């Protein structure tokens, strides 16, 4: 009978730990988006970590059609790509922390993609 109580307590403990992890992940994501909002409102959009000439070249790669792009478009897409990469990396890092490692692997990114409905378009790629 005593062994059963220990098993019950272990199950309850695992559930509490899982709830704490979920709450922490949700809090991390909420804090991330709050930081992003503040950053976007205060930053110069032309200051992107991605080279704007390459972003513009990638935009123009579609088809062979000739079209013009406004000056703000590459800057805005560059910032959007930065945010996308940061959030995906944050979600992958959460997988690394759960397994007590220090290196993000392809599997961590795949788990982050499969765990989030928003990234369903990437499932076939990863």
């Amino acid at each position: 009978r005593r062994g059963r109580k220990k098993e019950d307590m272990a199950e309850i403990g695992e559930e509490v730990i899982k709830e704490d992890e979920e709450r922490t992940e949700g809090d991390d994501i909420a804090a991330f988006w709050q930081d992003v909002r503040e950053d976007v409102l205060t930053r110069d959009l032309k200051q992107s970590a991605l080279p704007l000439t390459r972003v513009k070249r990638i935009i123009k790669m579609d088809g062979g059609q000739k079209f013009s792009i406004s000056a703000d478009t590459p800057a805005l897409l560059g910032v959007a790509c930065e945010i996308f990469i940061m959030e995906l990396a944050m979600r992958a890092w959460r997988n690394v922390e759960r397994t007590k490692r220090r290196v993000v692997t392809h599997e961590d990114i795949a788990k982050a993609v499969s765990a989030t409905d928003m990234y369903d378009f990437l499932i076939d790629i990863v």
Side-chain angles (χ1 to χ4, degrees), residues 10-107:
E11 287 177 21
I12 292 170
E14 289 174 11
E15 289 175 16
V16 169
I17 290 170
K18 186 176 181 181
E19 288 174 6
D20 283 345
E21 287 176 353
E22 289 173 1
R23 229 178 287 125
T24 303
E25 184 172 354
D27 293 343
D28 288 348
I29 292 169
F32 167 77
W33 281 108
Q34 182 63 35
D35 291 344
V36 166
R37 175 181 282 154
E38 291 170 7
D39 182 48
V40 167
L41 292 175
T42 59
R43 86 189 280 184
D44 178 18
L45 292 180
K46 299 209 184 225
Q47 298 298 321
S48 173
L50 301 173
L52 298 181
T53 54
R54 287 192 185 175
V55 172
K56 191 172 184 177
R57 191 176 322 146
I58 291 169
I59 294 169
K60 288 190 170 195
M61 284 175 56
D62 188 27
Q65 303 172 350
K66 296 210 175 200
F67 54 91
S68 61
I69 300 169
S70 73
D72 295 336
T73 301
L76 185 61
L77 282 175
V79 171
C81 288
E82 276 183 59
I83 294 168
F84 170 77
I85 292 166
M86 285 189 304
E87 184 185 5
L88 185 58
M90 179 187 64
R91 290 177 184 270
W93 182 251
R94 295 285 301 168
N95 290 324
V96 171
E97 287 179 330
R98 282 189 199 114
T99 56
K100 298 183 177 163
R101 293 180 288 120
R102 293 182 176 225
V103 178
V104 177
T105 63
H106 179 267
E107 288 81 19

